[in-house]
Structure formats: C-alpha cells, structure tokens
Amino acid sequence: MAERLSLAAVSWAYAAGVAPRTLLTDCLARIAEDQAYNAWITVLSEAQLEGYLDALEARPRGPLWGVPFAVKDNIDVAGLPTTAGCEAFAYTPSVSAPVVQALIDAGAIPLGKTHLDQFATGLVGTRAFSGPCLNSVDPAYLSGGSSSGSAVALGRGHVAFSLGTDTAGSGRVPAAFNGLYGLKPSRGLLPQPSNHPLDRGGFLLYN
C-alpha cells in the first residue's frame, strides 16, 4: 500500500521547515508515478500551482494552510475543466464551487479534478470516458464509485483529503473499498458541491 498523506503529516512537515512548494511538487510527482491508476482527469500545471503558491504567501497560517486536496470532477474549480466524466459535457468555470472556494480561502490547494462514474451515477469506478479507475489497495479490485478518483487519489497518498458527492453510495462505497473514512455532513454544511441535479450533498474523504 502507498504511504498515505494526512492533515497531521502535512502540519508536521511544515512545522519542520518543509516548504509548500517542496511538498506539493512531491505530491504531483506521486500523481505522475501513479498514472496507471487513472485517478485524475485534470492535474494542475506548474504555472497553475505557482499561482496558488503565490496566493498562499498572503494567507494566514491555519490548519489547512498549504494542504493539498482533490476535487471530484463534477465540482467546479475555477480555471479547470469540469467534465462529470463525459467529454461532451465539459466546460471550464470561471468561479469555483463555494465549498472549494472556502477551502482555498483557508489556504488549502486543489491539485486537480478526479475520476468519477459518468454524471456521478454508478458504484464501480469504471464508467467514464477516461477508462476505469483502479483500486488504491489492489488494482485487481473495483475502486468503487462514483467518487472513485477522489478515493484512489487519497488512498495512494496524492493528497491529504478529497471532495466527493453522494447520490446513494457514491462516497461510502469508494471509501470502504479503499480503506478510508467517508464523511457525509448534514445537507447544506458543504454548500453547493455539485452542478449535477442527482447529487444530494458533498462528501469528504480522509485517512
């Protein structure tokens, strides 16, 4: 199993003097090494990462300062395509979803958009234009869906936490299949996570 990244580990690294650029560049390297798992649809470019790092310098240090996270690709991140697992649906938003913007304002950094069963309807992690997403523990098994990429990215140590959405078991199934905690807060606590009408609330995955 890959070494996982936690909020505590990120905090300890920064307290020990590790620079955010060093930690986040290492995360991007892990993503590149694990490309075969197909957890990500879009990953930040170096230029986009620099923009977040520049903004980070002006933000107060708090629990989420410099923490890398993943965003399911039916939740908007400004400047990154939203596909919902369907190329024909793709668009690039100019504004992030409120839950994403709140995390960014707190200093967290989204590293990109993750795999999902098309339109967030499925429990297997194989129903997307980009192909199947492999289980983070054993690639021979299903990753679970629809928040497959968010679970696998976390399970493989790419990020410290990830966002998903839940229609029926879209967060709980990939959490269980990848040995993670899946938290579905009361509706409205994570505001407007998705533009897709079938999704009923945000889902948080963590180690």
Side-chain angles (χ1 to χ4, degrees):
M1 182 183 295
E3 181 182 351
R4 292 183 172 177
L5 190 63
S6 66
L7 288 169
V10 174
S11 178
W12 292 334
Y14 289 154
V18 175
R21 178 176 280 98
T22 300
L23 188 144
L24 295 168
T25 299
D26 181 63
C27 290
L28 293 178
R30 291 189 187 194
I31 292 171
E33 290 170 5
D34 281 347
Q35 193 169 6
Y37 283 84
N38 202 28
W40 298 81
I41 292 177
T42 304
V43 180
L44 286 189
S45 66
E46 289 186 12
Q48 288 168 323
L49 178 59
E50 285 299 322
Y52 282 107
L53 288 170
D54 289 344
L56 190 64
E57 294 178 1
R59 299 189 188 282
R61 290 201 176 217
L64 294 178
W65 188 87
V67 174
F69 71 102
V71 181
K72 184 177 179 179
D73 200 19
N74 63 335
I75 305 174
D76 288 346
V77 177
L80 297 181
T82 296
T83 72
C86 176
E87 282 184 297
F89 175 81
Y91 63 91
T92 301
S94 58
V95 177
S96 294
V99 64
V100 174
Q101 190 59 54
L103 289 167
I104 293 171
D105 290 344
I109 298 180
L111 293 190
K113 311 295 292 295
T114 52
H115 186 286
L116 70 160
D117 282 319
Q118 189 176 83
F119 295 122
T121 54
L123 297 174
V124 291
T126 64
R127 299 177 56 252
F129 73 89
S130 55
C133 181
L134 305 183
N135 188 290
S136 65
V137 180
D138 187 340
Y141 289 85
L142 292 172
S143 59
S146 62
S147 304
S148 50
S150 290
V152 173
L154 182 61
R156 293 297 301 172
H158 303 165
V159 292
F161 70 93
S162 57
L163 296 181
T165 58
D166 187 83
T167 306
S170 299
R172 288 160 286 182
V173 171
F177 282 14
N178 290 274
L180 306 169
Y181 295 102
L183 173 65
K184 185 177 183 181
S186 299
R187 189 175 180 183
L189 202 60
L190 296 181
Q192 301 177 28
S194 172
N195 287 324
H196 193 271
L198 289 177
D199 282 307
R200 302 306 182 195
F203 211 95
L204 178 68
L205 294 161
Y206 61 100
N207 289 303

